[in-house]
Amino acid sequence: MTTTEPVLTRSRELAAFGASITADALPEPVVHNARRAFVDWTAAALAGSGEPAAAKLRGVVAAVGGDGPCTVVGTTLRTSPPFAALANAYTSHLLDYDDVYNPSATTIHLGSCVWPAVLAIGQARGLAGPALVAAYVAGFEVGARVACAAGPQHYESGWHVTGTAGHLAAAAAAANALGLSAEATTHALGCAATQAAGVREVYGSDTKAIHPGKAAMDGVLAALLAENGFTSTDTALEGERGLLRAITPRPHPELLTEGLGTDGSDTHWHVLDNGHKLYPSASLTHPAIDAVLALDPVDPAEVAAIEVRMAGFAAAVTALAQPETGAAAKFSTAHCVAAALTRRHAGPAEFTDTVVADPVVAALRDKVTVLADEAVTKRGCLLRITLHDRTELRSTVEQNKGTPAAPLTDADLEDKLVTAGDATLGHQTTDLLVKSCWALDRLAGLDELMAYVTPVSPVSHAG
């Protein structure tokens, strides 16, 4: 009796690639980018842990998630792997301070989907650093390819790519962390694909960060189900009624498997093109913020008009002229420009309800005109400020800080973690946490590192 090998569908091929990744076979630049990503993700998670919306979610997790081995960052709460993944993913995306993979075809925040899934399985199964790094890379590479295959029309249709493709990223990461076979990983991806969701209409509310939260939670669940023999189809991504055809009018399924390579030397590693944020706002607003901060200080009272030219896509997504809340202000180029010009900074404090209501900032927002200019890339902008005396100030950004062409340094990322950690944990603990994060791939386990992200004076579970 002979057996027939299964047809190598694109879903199967992508799953096999994710399952095959091991830390010892990864190029050092890929491993270092994983370290950088973990430092950045930890900073974003700690920074978001004190937000009221995070406390609301933790109240639910504490009530229904049950006890478990997994830490909820910034608190003393411990719960089951899926609920820890939910809480940690939610918190890390809440301030829009997490990483951003931002090529021409898509925009997705993969760290907030992948790291919470990796840490949940890592704590539950006692994994060491090399396994954590491999799982992160597997998740990032799968998620990036799914996002690119969905293409720009996916986002333009109203979907949030982090919520949709993020499900596949988290499932691939969790499957790799569990050591699942290529076959089982295929089933995990199928299970994640059927749960994928997230719509842009909820931007500016507590609900937006649920997208990576559910991606991480459902990805962990999908992998655990597959480990227990759960099955799915092997065309869940590219099939006639699969995810890609459901979420975009112009799918590119060939991109699911483009650049997989046969070994690390000929693989195209998307993680090398990841980006990190200096500012806790939509990445499309960052070129405008950079442009403002590149100028010498300007007295807001002297400003007659401000013109910002951006790529059409970026201008449309960030066109909100007068946001009413700090959360909504993160998607307003007008607010980002007005706040940066007025306060000469663009940190979490510039995206509070208080600053949004500041009459000086509000008056300056009214003077901002955002124009679509197809000669400008999504990572650039042209800024012109006209003063009452008719003086014109101009600033041009080709590639904003934090993009692959203008990357944040390791020191920049460390400063981001130190700032968030000092405010939440205290300087001594933060110093130990920073060292552990940079040594992620050499850790024997997660217990010590996760103890550092548990404050002595815990953040409230329920708010």
Side-chain angles (χ1 to χ4, degrees):
M1 181 177 177
T2 61
T3 59
T4 302
E5 289 294 321
V7 175
L8 191 59
T9 65
R10 293 191 188 277
S11 292
R12 280 187 178 275
E13 188 176 354
L14 186 61
F17 171 73
S20 72
I21 292 175
T22 58
D24 59 1
L26 291 174
E28 172 53 26
V30 172
V31 175
H32 188 61
N33 270 273
R35 297 184 198 108
R36 283 168 53 84
F38 188 63
V39 169
D40 186 66
W41 177 83
T42 305
L46 285 172
S49 65
E51 291 295 300
K56 296 173 194 175
L57 181 69
R58 287 194 298 267
V60 174
V61 170
V64 305
D67 293 330
C70 302
T71 301
V72 174
V73 171
T75 79
T76 57
L77 178 62
R78 294 174 75 91
T79 187
S80 63
F83 279 98
L86 169 66
N88 288 331
Y90 183 85
T91 298
S92 64
H93 188 63
L94 190 52
L95 294 178
D96 280 283
Y97 214 8
D98 46 336
D99 69 355
V100 57
Y101 176 63
N102 193 22
S104 60
T106 192
T107 302
I108 183 170
H109 305 276
L110 285 163
S112 56
C113 302
V114 173
W115 281 119
V118 170
L119 295 178
I121 299 297
Q123 277 198 288
R125 299 296 175 91
L127 301 184
L132 304 174
V133 168
Y136 166 75
V137 173
F140 192 102
E141 294 299 319
V142 168
R145 285 170 168 81
V146 174
C148 289
Q153 291 77 24
H154 171 50
Y155 188 87
E156 291 166 4
S157 298
W159 294 98
H160 186 198
V161 190
T162 301
T164 53
H167 271 74
L168 282 301
N176 182 285
L178 290 169
L180 300 190
S181 67
E183 179 75 11
T185 301
T186 302
H187 297 312
L189 294 188
C191 185
T194 202
Q195 299 180 81
V199 294
R200 287 169 47 208
E201 187 65 23
V202 302
Y203 278 19
S205 74
D206 290 349
T207 305
K208 178 176 183 278
I210 282 287
H211 297 165
K214 283 291 288 175
M217 181 182 195
D218 294 345
V220 168
L221 175 63
L224 291 171
L225 288 170
E227 184 185 43
N228 204 46
F230 217 72
T231 65
S232 185
T233 62
D234 61 1
T235 52
L237 296 177
E238 76 276 20
E240 184 178 349
R241 292 171 295 278
L243 179 67
L244 291 180
R245 290 183 183 273
I247 62 176
T248 179
R250 294 180 58 189
H252 300 278
E254 70 279 1
L255 297 183
L256 292 171
T257 53
E258 183 177 84
L260 293 185
T262 56
D263 57 54
S265 65
D266 61 353
T267 297
H268 174 72
W269 298 104
H270 288 263
V271 72
L272 297 178
D273 296 322
N274 197 22
H276 302 284
K277 289 186 173 185
L278 270 181
Y279 318 119
S281 62
S283 61
L284 296 171
T285 68
H286 289 204
I289 296 172
D290 280 353
V292 171
L293 296 180
L295 296 172
D296 291 333
V298 177
D299 182 351
E302 297 179 359
V303 175
I306 302 173
E307 178 184 279
V308 185
R309 290 184 174 271
M310 308 169 69
F313 171 77
V317 172
T318 66
L320 180 62
Q322 285 291 355
E324 296 181 358
T325 65
K330 295 172 181 290
F331 301 91
S332 167
T333 291
H335 176 82
C336 291
V337 168
L341 193 148
T342 303
R343 298 167 64 87
R344 301 298 302 169
H345 196 253
E350 279 62 54
F351 297 93
T352 61
D353 293 352
T354 300
V355 171
V356 169
D358 184 329
V360 175
V361 175
L364 206 55
R365 286 196 299 260
D366 274 337
K367 300 178 181 181
V368 177
T369 300
V370 178
L371 299 175
D373 187 334
E374 295 311 324
V376 181
T377 71
K378 68 187 288 191
R379 296 171 177 170
C381 87
L382 304 175
L383 174 71
R384 181 175 66 181
I385 300 176
T386 303
L387 305 183
H388 288 298
D389 66 4
R390 298 187 179 181
T391 299
E392 288 191 353
L393 307 174
R394 295 174 181 264
S395 183
T396 299
V397 171
E398 298 288 345
Q399 301 277 342
N400 67 272
K401 295 175 183 177
T403 58
L408 300 189
T409 66
D410 288 359
D412 290 332
L413 295 174
E414 185 168 314
D415 286 346
K416 184 174 173 178
L417 177 53
V418 168
T419 299
D422 283 356
T424 309
L425 309 170
H427 183 71
Q428 184 174 4
T429 300
T430 298
D431 185 58
L432 295 171
L433 174 62
V434 168
K435 290 181 172 65
S436 289
C437 287
W438 283 123
L440 176 67
D441 55 306
R442 301 188 298 277
L443 297 180
L446 277 169
D447 288 348
E448 185 173 314
L449 187 150
M450 298 308 283
Y452 295 146
V453 297
T454 302
V456 174
S457 298
V459 175
S460 169
H461 294 169

